[in-house]
Amino acid sequence: MNTKHLPHKTVERLSQYRRTLYLILSKDKTHVFSHEIAQMLHITPVQVRRDIMLIGYSGNLRKGYDIKELIDLIGKIIDTEKGQNVAVIGLGNLGKAIISYFKGKRTKLKIIAAFDINPDKINRVYDGVQCYPASRIHEIIKNEDITIGIITVPAEQAVATAETLVLSGIKGILNYSPKPLNVSPNVFLEEYDMITSLEKVAFYAKKNDERFK
Amino acid sequence: MNTKHLPHKTVERLSQYRRTLYLILSKDKTHVFSHEIAQMLHITPVQVRRDIMLIGYSGNLRKGYDIKELIDLIGKIIDTEKGQNVAVIGLGNLGKAIISYFKGKRTKLKIIAAFDINPDKINRVYDGVQCYPASRIHEIIKNEDITIGIITVPAEQAVATAETLVLSGIKGILNYSPKPLNVSPNVFLEEYDMITSLEKVAFYAKKNDERFK
DNA sequence: TTAGCATTGTTATTATATAAACAATTGAAC
DNA sequence: GTTCAATTGTTTATATAATAACAATGCTAA
């Protein structure tokens, strides 16, 4: 599959399309129209068709898109054949939330390790995921072929954690700490800051309010 | 303050600038250059200056920006004078994570209520935040003047939760459930989906890997 | 006094993302 | 058959965001 330059937003939507398609498939439907997908995700049908065009798939004019084919194709694009292993660094509330979130989800991504520095958590199993001491990050990431790390440690430890991950050969990092990171260009970094999101909502909530009164 | 059309991304960065500025302020500095802020956030100095231009502030050519003035101005733009009250709906791991995250943070945003349907959680206090039964959402949002709701309930309950919030007069919603919502245009909606984020990281991690080997 | 330098503030350009417009196609109804 | 309605696929246009380019300023120091 030639995925030359898929826009970031398209990649994000592909993930959502796939989950939506599974939902529709479970209703014994075999085909779906762009506007049906669009309606479920509250976006425009044009957006859906454009994204599908970008991945080189074609639908049927009367029946729409073959759901199974589309699911398979999206899988070929965003998954690797044998899947990728994931580690959560920081087993606080957020780390636990992420692990239980993924529990039982059909996906090529498997959370297979958690790390923490709290002795009460180390060597225990949370929702099927073993917690190791942070000192063993390097060793376990190497041995278990973990390619993705989710950082949920406090801000003070985020930079050191990221460095360890990169040195251990990680390929992608999802950073939930409020501390912006800087990693080498061969590691993909995605950052999400809850405080920023909330302050953004607060700002536009205020503006909307002023506009409507 | 005339905040006609601040781009979404600028609003997000303003939130980050302010936190960065507080950090610098605590080091007894009174002024800061655009490249210093930029370096801490790993963005370009031009981006910083452009954002600051958009909010109508001017720095000093030799000393840079007055930190206190800039903090105050950002506050005037993104905060309301008396602050806004926030509720978390769904006191699972994610809800707890958000509450403990905000604990003790200096901010005009105050989480003052949580809601859940689990009797074990109802009427208990978590990190200073009282948990109420979901049946009282409408009443408490009205009475306590809560303007922002953070949805951390399971997907199945997300739509009903959002409807209740909107009917209760909420102004902004931050949706962490994987279920896309649809609210009336006078309510600001921000959605974040962890699975999508992780799948995105997986995709680009894979691509990077292919590119570098 | 004047040249040099680092910085800000602004405009212009490019890149990314969304939306609109519309031709092409297919099957159904008459 | 022929017309019609609905849908896809693609091109064009617009909106948003990031980057680059550069003039203006004011301090320093020769």
PDB file of all heavy atoms in Angstrom, chain D residues 15-28:
ATOM      1  P    DA D  15     -13.395  31.867   3.033  1.00  0.00           P
ATOM      2  OP1  DA D  15     -14.711  32.310   3.539  1.00  0.00           O
ATOM      3  OP2  DA D  15     -12.415  32.863   2.541  1.00  0.00           O
ATOM      4  O5'  DA D  15     -12.686  31.022   4.170  1.00  0.00           O
ATOM      5  C5'  DA D  15     -13.300  29.818   4.622  1.00  0.00           C
ATOM      6  C4'  DA D  15     -12.316  29.079   5.496  1.00  0.00           C
ATOM      7  O4'  DA D  15     -11.246  28.544   4.692  1.00  0.00           O
ATOM      8  C3'  DA D  15     -11.674  29.957   6.565  1.00  0.00           C
ATOM      9  O3'  DA D  15     -11.789  29.231   7.765  1.00  0.00           O
ATOM     10  C2'  DA D  15     -10.212  30.084   6.089  1.00  0.00           C
ATOM     11  C1'  DA D  15     -10.017  28.751   5.373  1.00  0.00           C
ATOM     12  N9   DA D  15      -8.975  28.695   4.347  1.00  0.00           N
ATOM     13  C8   DA D  15      -8.823  29.498   3.255  1.00  0.00           C
ATOM     14  N7   DA D  15      -7.798  29.169   2.489  1.00  0.00           N
ATOM     15  C5   DA D  15      -7.256  28.069   3.130  1.00  0.00           C
ATOM     16  C6   DA D  15      -6.153  27.247   2.824  1.00  0.00           C
ATOM     17  N6   DA D  15      -5.369  27.421   1.771  1.00  0.00           N
ATOM     18  N1   DA D  15      -5.876  26.234   3.676  1.00  0.00           N
ATOM     19  C2   DA D  15      -6.666  26.055   4.739  1.00  0.00           C
ATOM     20  N3   DA D  15      -7.719  26.754   5.132  1.00  0.00           N
ATOM     21  C4   DA D  15      -7.968  27.765   4.273  1.00  0.00           C
ATOM     22  P    DT D  16     -11.526  29.966   9.191  1.00  0.00           P
ATOM     23  OP1  DT D  16     -12.567  29.479  10.101  1.00  0.00           O
ATOM     24  OP2  DT D  16     -11.293  31.410   8.978  1.00  0.00           O
ATOM     25  O5'  DT D  16     -10.150  29.321   9.660  1.00  0.00           O
ATOM     26  C5'  DT D  16     -10.080  27.905   9.807  1.00  0.00           C
ATOM     27  C4'  DT D  16      -8.640  27.487   9.823  1.00  0.00           C
ATOM     28  O4'  DT D  16      -8.011  27.777   8.556  1.00  0.00           O
ATOM     29  C3'  DT D  16      -7.774  28.191  10.872  1.00  0.00           C
ATOM     30  O3'  DT D  16      -7.424  27.193  11.793  1.00  0.00           O
ATOM     31  C2'  DT D  16      -6.579  28.742  10.075  1.00  0.00           C
ATOM     32  C1'  DT D  16      -6.626  27.918   8.800  1.00  0.00           C
ATOM     33  N1   DT D  16      -6.043  28.496   7.571  1.00  0.00           N
ATOM     34  C2   DT D  16      -4.992  27.829   6.962  1.00  0.00           C
ATOM     35  O2   DT D  16      -4.510  26.798   7.406  1.00  0.00           O
ATOM     36  N3   DT D  16      -4.526  28.423   5.804  1.00  0.00           N
ATOM     37  C4   DT D  16      -4.987  29.580   5.213  1.00  0.00           C
ATOM     38  O4   DT D  16      -4.490  30.003   4.197  1.00  0.00           O
ATOM     39  C5   DT D  16      -6.095  30.217   5.902  1.00  0.00           C
ATOM     40  C7   DT D  16      -6.669  31.470   5.341  1.00  0.00           C
ATOM     41  C6   DT D  16      -6.559  29.650   7.023  1.00  0.00           C
ATOM     42  P    DA D  17      -6.481  27.559  13.072  1.00  0.00           P
ATOM     43  OP1  DA D  17      -6.707  26.555  14.123  1.00  0.00           O
ATOM     44  OP2  DA D  17      -6.626  29.002  13.353  1.00  0.00           O
ATOM     45  O5'  DA D  17      -5.041  27.321  12.456  1.00  0.00           O
ATOM     46  C5'  DA D  17      -4.707  26.025  11.992  1.00  0.00           C
ATOM     47  C4'  DA D  17      -3.257  25.993  11.590  1.00  0.00           C
ATOM     48  O4'  DA D  17      -3.081  26.684  10.335  1.00  0.00           O
ATOM     49  C3'  DA D  17      -2.311  26.650  12.587  1.00  0.00           C
ATOM     50  O3'  DA D  17      -1.383  25.659  12.971  1.00  0.00           O
ATOM     51  C2'  DA D  17      -1.682  27.824  11.815  1.00  0.00           C
ATOM     52  C1'  DA D  17      -1.874  27.418  10.364  1.00  0.00           C
ATOM     53  N9   DA D  17      -2.055  28.505   9.408  1.00  0.00           N
ATOM     54  C8   DA D  17      -2.979  29.517   9.468  1.00  0.00           C
ATOM     55  N7   DA D  17      -2.927  30.338   8.446  1.00  0.00           N
ATOM     56  C5   DA D  17      -1.907  29.829   7.653  1.00  0.00           C
ATOM     57  C6   DA D  17      -1.368  30.251   6.423  1.00  0.00           C
ATOM     58  N6   DA D  17      -1.793  31.315   5.748  1.00  0.00           N
ATOM     59  N1   DA D  17      -0.352  29.516   5.907  1.00  0.00           N
ATOM     60  C2   DA D  17       0.071  28.433   6.591  1.00  0.00           C
ATOM     61  N3   DA D  17      -0.358  27.956   7.751  1.00  0.00           N
ATOM     62  C4   DA D  17      -1.364  28.700   8.233  1.00  0.00           C
ATOM     63  P    DA D  18      -0.142  25.953  13.926  1.00  0.00           P
ATOM     64  OP1  DA D  18       0.160  24.716  14.646  1.00  0.00           O
ATOM     65  OP2  DA D  18      -0.426  27.204  14.657  1.00  0.00           O
ATOM     66  O5'  DA D  18       1.018  26.209  12.873  1.00  0.00           O
ATOM     67  C5'  DA D  18       1.393  25.145  12.027  1.00  0.00           C
ATOM     68  C4'  DA D  18       2.487  25.591  11.090  1.00  0.00           C
ATOM     69  O4'  DA D  18       2.021  26.678  10.268  1.00  0.00           O
ATOM     70  C3'  DA D  18       3.755  26.096  11.785  1.00  0.00           C
ATOM     71  O3'  DA D  18       4.825  25.400  11.190  1.00  0.00           O
ATOM     72  C2'  DA D  18       3.778  27.596  11.475  1.00  0.00           C
ATOM     73  C1'  DA D  18       3.045  27.648  10.142  1.00  0.00           C
ATOM     74  N9   DA D  18       2.360  28.892   9.840  1.00  0.00           N
ATOM     75  C8   DA D  18       1.431  29.547  10.614  1.00  0.00           C
ATOM     76  N7   DA D  18       0.948  30.635  10.063  1.00  0.00           N
ATOM     77  C5   DA D  18       1.592  30.697   8.835  1.00  0.00           C
ATOM     78  C6   DA D  18       1.517  31.617   7.778  1.00  0.00           C
ATOM     79  N6   DA D  18       0.721  32.683   7.787  1.00  0.00           N
ATOM     80  N1   DA D  18       2.302  31.385   6.687  1.00  0.00           N
ATOM     81  C2   DA D  18       3.100  30.296   6.686  1.00  0.00           C
ATOM     82  N3   DA D  18       3.250  29.363   7.631  1.00  0.00           N
ATOM     83  C4   DA D  18       2.464  29.629   8.681  1.00  0.00           C
ATOM     84  P    DT D  19       6.327  25.562  11.754  1.00  0.00           P
ATOM     85  OP1  DT D  19       6.982  24.255  11.630  1.00  0.00           O
ATOM     86  OP2  DT D  19       6.309  26.298  13.021  1.00  0.00           O
ATOM     87  O5'  DT D  19       6.977  26.508  10.648  1.00  0.00           O
ATOM     88  C5'  DT D  19       6.974  26.065   9.298  1.00  0.00           C
ATOM     89  C4'  DT D  19       7.391  27.206   8.406  1.00  0.00           C
ATOM     90  O4'  DT D  19       6.445  28.281   8.488  1.00  0.00           O
ATOM     91  C3'  DT D  19       8.742  27.823   8.781  1.00  0.00           C
ATOM     92  O3'  DT D  19       9.610  27.529   7.699  1.00  0.00           O
ATOM     93  C2'  DT D  19       8.449  29.325   8.944  1.00  0.00           C
ATOM     94  C1'  DT D  19       7.142  29.478   8.197  1.00  0.00           C
ATOM     95  N1   DT D  19       6.236  30.592   8.597  1.00  0.00           N
ATOM     96  C2   DT D  19       5.943  31.569   7.672  1.00  0.00           C
ATOM     97  O2   DT D  19       6.411  31.580   6.545  1.00  0.00           O
ATOM     98  N3   DT D  19       5.079  32.540   8.116  1.00  0.00           N
ATOM     99  C4   DT D  19       4.490  32.627   9.362  1.00  0.00           C
ATOM    100  O4   DT D  19       3.738  33.552   9.632  1.00  0.00           O
ATOM    101  C5   DT D  19       4.834  31.574  10.277  1.00  0.00           C
ATOM    102  C7   DT D  19       4.249  31.575  11.640  1.00  0.00           C
ATOM    103  C6   DT D  19       5.673  30.617   9.865  1.00  0.00           C
ATOM    104  P    DA D  20      11.176  27.919   7.815  1.00  0.00           P
ATOM    105  OP1  DA D  20      11.948  26.884   7.105  1.00  0.00           O
ATOM    106  OP2  DA D  20      11.502  28.276   9.212  1.00  0.00           O
ATOM    107  O5'  DA D  20      11.218  29.241   6.928  1.00  0.00           O
ATOM    108  C5'  DA D  20      10.508  29.244   5.697  1.00  0.00           C
ATOM    109  C4'  DA D  20      10.501  30.642   5.126  1.00  0.00           C
ATOM    110  O4'  DA D  20       9.492  31.459   5.784  1.00  0.00           O
ATOM    111  C3'  DA D  20      11.818  31.395   5.278  1.00  0.00           C
ATOM    112  O3'  DA D  20      12.111  31.941   4.007  1.00  0.00           O
ATOM    113  C2'  DA D  20      11.514  32.475   6.327  1.00  0.00           C
ATOM    114  C1'  DA D  20      10.042  32.732   6.064  1.00  0.00           C
ATOM    115  N9   DA D  20       9.267  33.263   7.182  1.00  0.00           N
ATOM    116  C8   DA D  20       9.161  32.738   8.451  1.00  0.00           C
ATOM    117  N7   DA D  20       8.352  33.412   9.234  1.00  0.00           N
ATOM    118  C5   DA D  20       7.901  34.452   8.433  1.00  0.00           C
ATOM    119  C6   DA D  20       7.018  35.520   8.686  1.00  0.00           C
ATOM    120  N6   DA D  20       6.417  35.729   9.852  1.00  0.00           N
ATOM    121  N1   DA D  20       6.786  36.390   7.662  1.00  0.00           N
ATOM    122  C2   DA D  20       7.395  36.180   6.495  1.00  0.00           C
ATOM    123  N3   DA D  20       8.238  35.209   6.148  1.00  0.00           N
ATOM    124  C4   DA D  20       8.454  34.373   7.174  1.00  0.00           C
ATOM    125  P    DA D  21      13.491  32.686   3.749  1.00  0.00           P
ATOM    126  OP1  DA D  21      13.912  32.294   2.386  1.00  0.00           O
ATOM    127  OP2  DA D  21      14.400  32.494   4.901  1.00  0.00           O
ATOM    128  O5'  DA D  21      13.057  34.222   3.701  1.00  0.00           O
ATOM    129  C5'  DA D  21      11.939  34.581   2.890  1.00  0.00           C
ATOM    130  C4'  DA D  21      11.653  36.064   3.096  1.00  0.00           C
ATOM    131  O4'  DA D  21      10.904  36.237   4.323  1.00  0.00           O
ATOM    132  C3'  DA D  21      12.905  36.922   3.226  1.00  0.00           C
ATOM    133  O3'  DA D  21      12.712  38.081   2.431  1.00  0.00           O
ATOM    134  C2'  DA D  21      12.966  37.260   4.714  1.00  0.00           C
ATOM    135  C1'  DA D  21      11.486  37.292   5.070  1.00  0.00           C
ATOM    136  N9   DA D  21      11.165  37.050   6.469  1.00  0.00           N
ATOM    137  C8   DA D  21      11.700  36.091   7.303  1.00  0.00           C
ATOM    138  N7   DA D  21      11.206  36.110   8.520  1.00  0.00           N
ATOM    139  C5   DA D  21      10.280  37.146   8.484  1.00  0.00           C
ATOM    140  C6   DA D  21       9.413  37.678   9.461  1.00  0.00           C
ATOM    141  N6   DA D  21       9.326  37.211  10.707  1.00  0.00           N
ATOM    142  N1   DA D  21       8.625  38.711   9.100  1.00  0.00           N
ATOM    143  C2   DA D  21       8.710  39.177   7.840  1.00  0.00           C
ATOM    144  N3   DA D  21       9.472  38.761   6.840  1.00  0.00           N
ATOM    145  C4   DA D  21      10.248  37.738   7.234  1.00  0.00           C
ATOM    146  P    DC D  22      13.963  39.035   2.078  1.00  0.00           P
ATOM    147  OP1  DC D  22      13.802  39.424   0.666  1.00  0.00           O
ATOM    148  OP2  DC D  22      15.214  38.422   2.549  1.00  0.00           O
ATOM    149  O5'  DC D  22      13.658  40.315   2.975  1.00  0.00           O
ATOM    150  C5'  DC D  22      12.354  40.870   2.950  1.00  0.00           C
ATOM    151  C4'  DC D  22      12.165  41.796   4.130  1.00  0.00           C
ATOM    152  O4'  DC D  22      11.834  41.045   5.318  1.00  0.00           O
ATOM    153  C3'  DC D  22      13.428  42.606   4.505  1.00  0.00           C
ATOM    154  O3'  DC D  22      13.036  43.933   4.750  1.00  0.00           O
ATOM    155  C2'  DC D  22      13.880  41.949   5.791  1.00  0.00           C
ATOM    156  C1'  DC D  22      12.498  41.679   6.383  1.00  0.00           C
ATOM    157  N1   DC D  22      12.495  40.815   7.596  1.00  0.00           N
ATOM    158  C2   DC D  22      11.589  41.127   8.611  1.00  0.00           C
ATOM    159  O2   DC D  22      10.824  42.085   8.470  1.00  0.00           O
ATOM    160  N3   DC D  22      11.588  40.376   9.734  1.00  0.00           N
ATOM    161  C4   DC D  22      12.428  39.353   9.852  1.00  0.00           C
ATOM    162  N4   DC D  22      12.375  38.640  10.962  1.00  0.00           N
ATOM    163  C5   DC D  22      13.356  39.023   8.824  1.00  0.00           C
ATOM    164  C6   DC D  22      13.359  39.768   7.720  1.00  0.00           C
ATOM    165  P    DA D  23      13.954  45.106   4.179  1.00  0.00           P
ATOM    166  OP1  DA D  23      13.906  45.054   2.710  1.00  0.00           O
ATOM    167  OP2  DA D  23      15.255  45.050   4.890  1.00  0.00           O
ATOM    168  O5'  DA D  23      13.145  46.391   4.663  1.00  0.00           O
ATOM    169  C5'  DA D  23      11.721  46.391   4.587  1.00  0.00           C
ATOM    170  C4'  DA D  23      11.152  46.963   5.877  1.00  0.00           C
ATOM    171  O4'  DA D  23      11.230  45.974   6.935  1.00  0.00           O
ATOM    172  C3'  DA D  23      11.890  48.188   6.396  1.00  0.00           C
ATOM    173  O3'  DA D  23      10.914  49.114   6.875  1.00  0.00           O
ATOM    174  C2'  DA D  23      12.769  47.647   7.523  1.00  0.00           C
ATOM    175  C1'  DA D  23      11.890  46.527   8.064  1.00  0.00           C
ATOM    176  N9   DA D  23      12.615  45.440   8.717  1.00  0.00           N
ATOM    177  C8   DA D  23      13.642  44.703   8.202  1.00  0.00           C
ATOM    178  N7   DA D  23      14.086  43.763   9.011  1.00  0.00           N
ATOM    179  C5   DA D  23      13.286  43.902  10.141  1.00  0.00           C
ATOM    180  C6   DA D  23      13.252  43.207  11.365  1.00  0.00           C
ATOM    181  N6   DA D  23      14.066  42.187  11.660  1.00  0.00           N
ATOM    182  N1   DA D  23      12.333  43.591  12.268  1.00  0.00           N
ATOM    183  C2   DA D  23      11.516  44.610  11.960  1.00  0.00           C
ATOM    184  N3   DA D  23      11.454  45.334  10.852  1.00  0.00           N
ATOM    185  C4   DA D  23      12.375  44.924   9.966  1.00  0.00           C
ATOM    186  P    DA D  24      11.348  50.512   7.470  1.00  0.00           P
ATOM    187  OP1  DA D  24      10.271  51.474   7.152  1.00  0.00           O
ATOM    188  OP2  DA D  24      12.741  50.758   7.056  1.00  0.00           O
ATOM    189  O5'  DA D  24      11.333  50.274   9.037  1.00  0.00           O
ATOM    190  C5'  DA D  24      10.109  49.889   9.660  1.00  0.00           C
ATOM    191  C4'  DA D  24      10.326  49.895  11.154  1.00  0.00           C
ATOM    192  O4'  DA D  24      11.099  48.723  11.529  1.00  0.00           O
ATOM    193  C3'  DA D  24      11.095  51.111  11.682  1.00  0.00           C
ATOM    194  O3'  DA D  24      10.426  51.563  12.841  1.00  0.00           O
ATOM    195  C2'  DA D  24      12.488  50.568  11.977  1.00  0.00           C
ATOM    196  C1'  DA D  24      12.175  49.117  12.366  1.00  0.00           C
ATOM    197  N9   DA D  24      13.242  48.154  12.125  1.00  0.00           N
ATOM    198  C8   DA D  24      14.039  48.036  11.019  1.00  0.00           C
ATOM    199  N7   DA D  24      14.913  47.045  11.086  1.00  0.00           N
ATOM    200  C5   DA D  24      14.666  46.480  12.332  1.00  0.00           C
ATOM    201  C6   DA D  24      15.256  45.393  13.000  1.00  0.00           C
ATOM    202  N6   DA D  24      16.238  44.663  12.499  1.00  0.00           N
ATOM    203  N1   DA D  24      14.783  45.093  14.227  1.00  0.00           N
ATOM    204  C2   DA D  24      13.782  45.828  14.730  1.00  0.00           C
ATOM    205  N3   DA D  24      13.150  46.873  14.192  1.00  0.00           N
ATOM    206  C4   DA D  24      13.641  47.150  12.981  1.00  0.00           C
ATOM    207  P    DT D  25      10.902  52.868  13.600  1.00  0.00           P
ATOM    208  OP1  DT D  25       9.686  53.560  14.086  1.00  0.00           O
ATOM    209  OP2  DT D  25      11.881  53.554  12.740  1.00  0.00           O
ATOM    210  O5'  DT D  25      11.658  52.297  14.866  1.00  0.00           O
ATOM    211  C5'  DT D  25      10.983  51.361  15.707  1.00  0.00           C
ATOM    212  C4'  DT D  25      11.977  50.798  16.694  1.00  0.00           C
ATOM    213  O4'  DT D  25      12.912  49.929  16.021  1.00  0.00           O
ATOM    214  C3'  DT D  25      12.826  51.833  17.428  1.00  0.00           C
ATOM    215  O3'  DT D  25      12.503  51.726  18.798  1.00  0.00           O
ATOM    216  C2'  DT D  25      14.271  51.447  17.114  1.00  0.00           C
ATOM    217  C1'  DT D  25      14.121  49.981  16.727  1.00  0.00           C
ATOM    218  N1   DT D  25      15.152  49.383  15.840  1.00  0.00           N
ATOM    219  C2   DT D  25      15.827  48.260  16.273  1.00  0.00           C
ATOM    220  O2   DT D  25      15.622  47.751  17.359  1.00  0.00           O
ATOM    221  N3   DT D  25      16.742  47.761  15.387  1.00  0.00           N
ATOM    222  C4   DT D  25      17.042  48.260  14.129  1.00  0.00           C
ATOM    223  O4   DT D  25      17.883  47.726  13.425  1.00  0.00           O
ATOM    224  C5   DT D  25      16.309  49.436  13.729  1.00  0.00           C
ATOM    225  C7   DT D  25      16.569  50.051  12.400  1.00  0.00           C
ATOM    226  C6   DT D  25      15.409  49.948  14.595  1.00  0.00           C
ATOM    227  P    DG D  26      12.647  52.961  19.780  1.00  0.00           P
ATOM    228  OP1  DG D  26      11.491  52.947  20.693  1.00  0.00           O
ATOM    229  OP2  DG D  26      12.992  54.169  18.979  1.00  0.00           O
ATOM    230  O5'  DG D  26      13.936  52.550  20.621  1.00  0.00           O
ATOM    231  C5'  DG D  26      13.950  51.267  21.251  1.00  0.00           C
ATOM    232  C4'  DG D  26      15.386  50.874  21.476  1.00  0.00           C
ATOM    233  O4'  DG D  26      15.980  50.479  20.221  1.00  0.00           O
ATOM    234  C3'  DG D  26      16.265  52.012  22.022  1.00  0.00           C
ATOM    235  O3'  DG D  26      17.091  51.454  23.011  1.00  0.00           O
ATOM    236  C2'  DG D  26      17.096  52.407  20.804  1.00  0.00           C
ATOM    237  C1'  DG D  26      17.272  51.041  20.170  1.00  0.00           C
ATOM    238  N9   DG D  26      17.730  51.020  18.788  1.00  0.00           N
ATOM    239  C8   DG D  26      17.485  51.937  17.794  1.00  0.00           C
ATOM    240  N7   DG D  26      18.038  51.623  16.651  1.00  0.00           N
ATOM    241  C5   DG D  26      18.697  50.429  16.913  1.00  0.00           C
ATOM    242  C6   DG D  26      19.484  49.606  16.069  1.00  0.00           C
ATOM    243  O6   DG D  26      19.755  49.775  14.884  1.00  0.00           O
ATOM    244  N1   DG D  26      19.978  48.492  16.744  1.00  0.00           N
ATOM    245  C2   DG D  26      19.723  48.196  18.075  1.00  0.00           C
ATOM    246  N2   DG D  26      20.269  47.081  18.551  1.00  0.00           N
ATOM    247  N3   DG D  26      19.002  48.957  18.875  1.00  0.00           N
ATOM    248  C4   DG D  26      18.517  50.044  18.227  1.00  0.00           C
ATOM    249  P    DC D  27      17.256  52.171  24.436  1.00  0.00           P
ATOM    250  OP1  DC D  27      16.166  51.726  25.305  1.00  0.00           O
ATOM    251  OP2  DC D  27      17.493  53.623  24.202  1.00  0.00           O
ATOM    252  O5'  DC D  27      18.608  51.537  24.973  1.00  0.00           O
ATOM    253  C5'  DC D  27      18.660  50.125  25.187  1.00  0.00           C
ATOM    254  C4'  DC D  27      19.916  49.558  24.582  1.00  0.00           C
ATOM    255  O4'  DC D  27      19.951  49.803  23.165  1.00  0.00           O
ATOM    256  C3'  DC D  27      21.214  50.155  25.149  1.00  0.00           C
ATOM    257  O3'  DC D  27      21.868  49.135  25.879  1.00  0.00           O
ATOM    258  C2'  DC D  27      22.005  50.592  23.906  1.00  0.00           C
ATOM    259  C1'  DC D  27      21.305  49.843  22.774  1.00  0.00           C
ATOM    260  N1   DC D  27      21.375  50.502  21.448  1.00  0.00           N
ATOM    261  C2   DC D  27      22.151  49.910  20.433  1.00  0.00           C
ATOM    262  O2   DC D  27      22.778  48.875  20.663  1.00  0.00           O
ATOM    263  N3   DC D  27      22.194  50.503  19.213  1.00  0.00           N
ATOM    264  C4   DC D  27      21.505  51.628  18.989  1.00  0.00           C
ATOM    265  N4   DC D  27      21.559  52.163  17.765  1.00  0.00           N
ATOM    266  C5   DC D  27      20.714  52.245  20.010  1.00  0.00           C
ATOM    267  C6   DC D  27      20.683  51.654  21.211  1.00  0.00           C
ATOM    268  P    DT D  28      23.144  49.450  26.750  1.00  0.00           P
ATOM    269  OP1  DT D  28      23.158  48.511  27.898  1.00  0.00           O
ATOM    270  OP2  DT D  28      23.209  50.915  26.972  1.00  0.00           O
ATOM    271  O5'  DT D  28      24.311  49.050  25.749  1.00  0.00           O
ATOM    272  C5'  DT D  28      24.237  47.792  25.083  1.00  0.00           C
ATOM    273  C4'  DT D  28      25.506  47.604  24.259  1.00  0.00           C
ATOM    274  O4'  DT D  28      25.342  48.239  22.954  1.00  0.00           O
ATOM    275  C3'  DT D  28      26.761  48.188  24.884  1.00  0.00           C
ATOM    276  O3'  DT D  28      27.812  47.248  24.736  1.00  0.00           O
ATOM    277  C2'  DT D  28      27.007  49.461  24.069  1.00  0.00           C
ATOM    278  C1'  DT D  28      26.452  49.087  22.699  1.00  0.00           C
ATOM    279  N1   DT D  28      25.932  50.209  21.869  1.00  0.00           N
ATOM    280  C2   DT D  28      26.242  50.256  20.523  1.00  0.00           C
ATOM    281  O2   DT D  28      26.930  49.433  19.967  1.00  0.00           O
ATOM    282  N3   DT D  28      25.693  51.326  19.849  1.00  0.00           N
ATOM    283  C4   DT D  28      24.898  52.331  20.372  1.00  0.00           C
ATOM    284  O4   DT D  28      24.472  53.234  19.659  1.00  0.00           O
ATOM    285  C5   DT D  28      24.620  52.217  21.778  1.00  0.00           C
ATOM    286  C7   DT D  28      23.785  53.262  22.447  1.00  0.00           C
ATOM    287  C6   DT D  28      25.140  51.180  22.466  1.00  0.00           C
TER     288       DT D  28
END
